[in-house]
Amino acid sequence: MRFDVLTLFPEMFPGYVSQSILAKAIQRKIISIHTHDFRQWTTDKHHSVDDRPFGGGPGMVIKPEPVVECVESVRPLADQAGRIVLLTPQGRKLTQPVVEELATEERLILICGRYEGIDQRVVDLLEPDEISIGDYILNGGEVAAMVLIDAVLRLIPGVLGDAESHVDDSFSSGNRLLESAQYTRPREYRGLTVPDVLLSGNHQEVERWRAEQSLAKTKQRRADLLDDTN
Ligand code: 6GU
């Protein structure tokens, strides 16, 4: 899967991209991530990417030309047209079903907004899938793009080794329960001990305990997940 990220801050990505699961997937050519600084598609001598909003108001708005023209230049860099995604707090919320849908694409072109927003003509011309990562405001779409990539990547065959397997992750299709508590050595730490059942060696009992814990935790913290209409 190929990710093209259009951003004014490409320098935010290399640190994230160097984390092990991602770096291995890139090395094995399962995925590739390409950042594009859309400031390079500005035409005026000051390379301005933003301007004041028509009608007045605070803040600045990203101009349409650099974004649209950057997408038009980047699109032919691969055979697949791909799906264009605009990261914006106005988008539909990124949930695991949306992540599963995005993971079926061979290519995603992610546009990271900034400032007060992006000129509406970008949306009208490119008709992107507008996605938000939650009900709070970030300074820009870059961190949201990393969240989206991180979540999608886990679903691409071959990206996770057995050790990181995602089959029983919370929120995957068919599992809408929070995970039960996990423990590793030591058996006792600052007076806190590991539940006996986990040390019992009885796999059936362990599974039963985990299922009960999972359900209790979900009821207590996220009862909304137990209602299929959500
Ligand atoms: Cl995608 N962008 C910004 N700027 N803020 C957000 C967001 C995206 N998702 C949640 N808040």
Side-chain angles (χ1 to χ4, degrees):
M1 185 167 188
R2 174 180 170 119
F3 296 91
D4 287 283
V5 183
L6 277 59
T7 169
L8 292 172
F9 298 95
E11 65 278 12
M12 289 177 72
F13 289 84
Y16 163 62
V17 168
S18 67
Q19 60 115 345
S20 75
I21 290 180
L22 193 38
K24 274 187 228 154
I26 292 169
Q27 193 194 348
R28 293 197 216 120
K29 304 210 186 311
I30 301 169
I31 65 155
S32 62
I33 300 185
H34 308 264
T35 54
H36 309 277
D37 183 350
F38 59 84
R39 190 178 296 279
Q40 289 173 7
W41 276 265
T42 49
T43 45
D44 64 303
K45 68 173 185 212
H46 294 112
H47 298 289
S48 30
V49 287
D50 58 341
D51 206 338
R52 288 170 305 160
F54 279 124
M60 300 289 271
V61 176
I62 294 184
K63 295 160 65 63
E65 308 95 312
V67 179
V68 171
E69 285 156 40
C70 181
V71 169
E72 287 171 350
S73 311
V74 161
R75 247 195 165 155
L77 297 178
D79 295 337
Q80 322 89 316
R83 184 192 301 213
I84 302 176
V85 172
L86 173 63
L87 283 314
T88 163
Q90 275 81 49
R92 61 184 177 134
K93 203 183 284 180
L94 187 69
T95 57
Q96 195 66 21
V98 173
V99 171
E100 287 167 12
E101 182 193 319
L102 295 172
T104 66
E105 298 285 343
E106 285 179 42
R107 184 183 188 193
L108 293 176
I109 298 175
L110 308 174
I111 303 172
C112 304
R114 277 268 149 183
Y115 311 112
E116 295 305 304
I118 201 156
D119 189 285
Q120 180 60 30
R121 271 85 50 99
V122 170
V123 174
D124 296 345
L125 290 166
L126 301 175
E127 299 183 330
D129 187 355
E130 296 177 76
I131 291 183
S132 160
I133 62 163
D135 295 338
Y136 37 79
I137 301 296
L138 305 170
N139 286 322
E142 286 77 10
V143 171
M146 292 183 216
V147 167
L148 185 154
I149 293 170
D150 215 77
V152 167
L153 188 108
R154 297 174 55 77
L155 303 184
I156 302 173
V159 168
L160 297 188
D162 285 344
E164 303 119 358
S165 167
H166 56 75
V167 279
D168 42 50
D169 280 355
S170 295
F171 310 115
S172 62
S173 301
N175 182 4
R176 310 245 300 157
L177 295 177
L178 301 182
E179 277 175 38
S180 60
Q182 304 275 7
Y183 296 87
T184 186
R185 288 186 287 182
R187 284 183 180 212
E188 187 187 331
Y189 180 63
R190 300 199 177 182
L192 300 175
T193 54
V194 177
D196 287 336
V197 60
L198 298 179
L199 307 172
S200 69
N202 183 334
H203 293 296
Q204 236 178 332
E205 282 299 311
V206 169
E207 282 319 304
R208 197 203 324 207
W209 180 84
R210 286 188 172 147
E212 282 166 11
Q213 291 280 311
S214 238
L215 185 60
K217 195 190 255 188
T218 310
K219 274 185 185 155
Q220 185 194 24
R221 300 188 179 179
R222 293 293 309 274
D224 59 298
L225 294 176
L226 299 169
D227 172 358
D228 325 315
T229 59
N230 288 308

